[in-house]
């Protein structure tokens, strides 16, 4: 059973995340309150799309055609198993003890009897796979998602999820693999495998979506919110109401500041010119 995560590939890279953050100044756009960085994000999306069309998608297409299905399943299972340990830790940090122990049990079972995770015997045994990361944990702890952010090569994110990247990257066992050339090869294989897993869906999406950027943005934000609240629509609605209330408060404060500024500039006092009194030329002797 292939337990490969069906998300759009998000390769972890602290350096790229920090570089993206450094480019945000001056890119604000007021069109969407959740996407004030749309100008920057669209430019990054165009760059990512070019990389995908030129390199990643052709590699994924060849990978899917050449390698037998059982090999692709084994690759997906192997890397999916590596994520189970960190997923279990995040479930425990979120207070979901049963789910956390399930993930840790999955990791232990597949890493041993499943031949380093190549065989997903935990799923066959009925142990449900979860996909939890530190960004979701921060969301459960009440940290707001912040603006939408498209990262170079890494794909869709938010300010909160970008801040969580260093922890997710450090907790990935493959990031500590030695020698480095094995680590790099494995990272490339993982990226191609993940892209191959969504190849057919992405082809349909490319044909159907009128504005692919907006489609990806809105879908990502909706799905991340659903994952943070585990599909609990009531909690998601409460978060949305709180976000809307904060936005309304900020808008009201901005309107009040603009009104006060306009009133100050139009007040009679601000237009009155004080004429200084002429200096007296009468001498002290004349006054006497």
């Amino acid at each position: 059973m292939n337990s490969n995560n069906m998300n759009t590939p998000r390769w972890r890279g602290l350096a790229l995340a920090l570089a993206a953050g450094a480019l945000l100044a001056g890119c604000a756009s007021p069109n969407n309150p959740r996407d004030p960085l749309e100008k920057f994000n669209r430019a990054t999306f165009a760059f990512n799309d070019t990389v995908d069309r030129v390199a990643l998608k052709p590699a994924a297409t060849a990978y899917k055609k050449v390698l037998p299905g059982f090999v692709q399943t084994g690759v997906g299972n192997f890397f999916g198993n590596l994520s189970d340990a960190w997923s279990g830790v995040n479930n425990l940090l979120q207070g979901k003890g049963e789910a956390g122990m399930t993930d840790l049990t999955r990791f232990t079972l597949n890493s041993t009897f499943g031949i380093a995770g190549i065989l997903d015997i935990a799923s066959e045994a009925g142990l449900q796979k979860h996909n939890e990361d530190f960004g979701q944990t921060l969301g459960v702890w009440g940290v707001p998602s912040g603006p939408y952010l498209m990262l170079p090569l890494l794909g869709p994110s938010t300010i909160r999820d970008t801040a969580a990247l260093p922890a997710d990257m450090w907790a990935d066992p493959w990031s500590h693999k030695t020698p480095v050339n094995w680590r790099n090869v494995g990272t490339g294989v993982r990226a191609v495998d993940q892209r191959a897993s969504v190849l057919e869906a992405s082809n349909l999406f490319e044909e159907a979506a009128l504005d692919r950027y907006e489609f990806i943005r809105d879908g990502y934000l909706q799905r991340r919110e659903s994952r943070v609240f585990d599909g609990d629509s009531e909690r998601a609605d409460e978060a949305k109401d709180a976000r809307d209330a904060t936005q309304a408060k900020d808008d009201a404060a901005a309107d009040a500041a603009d009104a006060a500024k306009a009133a100050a500039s139009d007040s009679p006092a601000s237009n009155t010119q004080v004429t200084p009194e002429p200096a007296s030329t009468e001498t002290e002797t004349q006054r006497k």
Side-chain angles (χ1 to χ4, degrees), residues 27-73:
C27 297
S29 170
N31 295 334
N32 189 311
R34 299 198 70 182
D35 188 11
L37 304 168
E38 184 172 346
K39 183 178 179 181
F40 167 83
N41 288 334
R42 282 189 179 273
T44 306
F45 174 77
F47 168 77
N48 290 348
D49 189 54
T50 300
V51 173
D52 181 69
R53 286 187 290 104
V54 171
L56 189 54
K57 186 176 180 180
T61 301
Y63 173 89
K64 198 171 184 66
K65 288 182 178 180
V66 173
L67 288 184
F70 71 89
V71 176
Q72 298 178 41
T73 298

Side-chain angles (χ1 to χ4, degrees), residues 224-245:
R224 283 297 287 180
E225 192 166 81
S226 176
R227 290 182 66 180
V228 167
F229 298 110
D230 295 326
D232 189 334
S233 59
E234 183 175 344
R235 292 170 61 198
D237 289 341
E238 290 176 357
K240 182 179 183 300
D241 291 341
R243 186 170 59 248
D244 291 344

Side-chain angles (χ1 to χ4, degrees), residues 279-288:
S280 176
T281 59
E282 185 179 22
T283 64
E284 186 67 23
T285 305
Q286 292 173 331
R287 284 200 300 271
K288 290 180 178 181

